[in-house]
DNA sequence: GTGCGACTTGAAGCGCGGTTCAAGTCAAGC
DNA sequence: GCTTGACTTGAACCGCGCTTCAAGTCGCAC
């Protein structure tokens, strides 16, 4: 059993963030020792998942829905498929952006924003 | 010359957003007709660039710095290179996330979050 | 048993990226 | 010249994702 400070340290999240996630339903403490939350070590996996999804641009609410997903919950699974497709677009956009930045970091075009190479970033 | 309503419509941005960007230094109206802003058509390119960068996760402040970049401004160009490298990581993370979601959308693993396939998402 | 310090709570606050609102100004059509 | 209605402004407000704060509660060492 871990206490909140330990979970915070090992997950890299602030204790306030852990309480916030709990309030939002992403997390549950296993029990209490007096007032104090106690956590099972598995919570660290869940937190890693949450952090990863946050960095990938999922909102806290979305993550909550996914974490509650039951197998066979076709509605949520469909949402996931939709989200996966959206990620494909995100990835393509980020690639164009990266290529443009790669170029821009060595470009000497007069107003940089007018550089045609740079403008490729703007494609659909 | 375009007025703000036209620019808003053609750029897909709200007039309030255009004024917001102007206040933040990302944009400038070409002049005024009375009180009213007038825009050169080129502003649409700049707005496309801004929208694209926003979707790619750049903050408004970052975009402002990049738009002000002079060629040969090595500090900003270095920032761009750094950002390009960061995008590489973002892209890799998004790809893992997409693969996991692809799997999750058809997975029947009991608690989905325990599915080992799904957990690949959590790699560094 | 009495501090101490780390936890608890709810509420308020913050930065971001805008949107909305109230009050005012103006160009153009009648 | 007067209305109309789209613009102008600054300030207030919003949702998100937390963080911070004040006030209270507890476990543990002494």
């Amino acid at each position: 059993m871990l206490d909140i400070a330990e979970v915070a340290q090992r997950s890299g999240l602030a204790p306030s963030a852990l309480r916030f996630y709990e309030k939002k339903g992403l997390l549950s403490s296993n029990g209490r020792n007096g007032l104090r939350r106690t956590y099972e070590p598995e919570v660290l996996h869940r937190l890693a998942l949450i952090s990863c999804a946050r960095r990938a641009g999922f909102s806290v609410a979305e993550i909550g829905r996914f974490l509650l997903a039951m197998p066979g919950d076709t509605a949520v699974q469909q949402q996931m498929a939709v989200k996966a497709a959206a990620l494909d677009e995100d990835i393509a956009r980020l690639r164009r952006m990266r290529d443009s930045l790669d170029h821009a970091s060595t470009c000497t075009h007069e107003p940089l924003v007018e550089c045609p190479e740079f403008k490729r970033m703007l494609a659909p």
Side-chain angles (χ1 to χ4, degrees), chain A:
Chain A
M1 285 301 173
L2 306 170
D3 83 341
I4 199 172
E6 204 155 356
V7 173
Q9 194 226 313
R10 308 229 293 209
S11 68
L13 292 164
S16 58
L18 299 179
R19 287 190 285 263
F20 176 74
Y21 288 157
E22 185 173 330
K23 193 158 28 178
K24 295 294 182 178
L26 274 65
L27 210 61
S28 58
S29 47
N30 192 55
R32 297 291 181 116
N33 177 18
L35 276 184
R36 303 178 180 202
R37 288 163 180 82
T38 57
Y39 293 98
E40 291 174 346
E42 290 74 40
V43 80
L44 293 172
H45 294 133
R46 180 173 274 242
L47 288 171
L49 171 60
I50 292 170
S51 294
C52 184
R54 286 289 301 126
R55 268 172 295 152
F58 290 76
S59 72
V60 169
E62 272 174 337
I63 296 170
R65 285 200 296 281
F66 289 162
L67 286 177
L68 286 172
M70 299 300 174
D73 181 337
T74 54
V76 172
Q77 291 197 333
Q78 209 169 348
Q79 273 185 50
M80 286 185 179
V82 167
K83 200 73 186 165
L87 281 182
D88 273 336
E89 283 180 38
D90 291 351
I91 289 165
R93 195 153 13 75
L94 259 55
R95 268 146 74 135
R96 285 202 308 278
M97 185 68 64
R98 184 211 39 207
D99 291 346
S100 291
L101 277 179
D102 268 346
H103 174 73
S105 67
T106 59
C107 178
T108 57
H109 211 97
E110 241 326 294
L112 172 59
V113 281
E114 296 306 326
C115 169
E117 186 85 5
F118 189 66
K119 282 184 174 174
R120 286 197 304 120
M121 175 152 58
L122 307 180

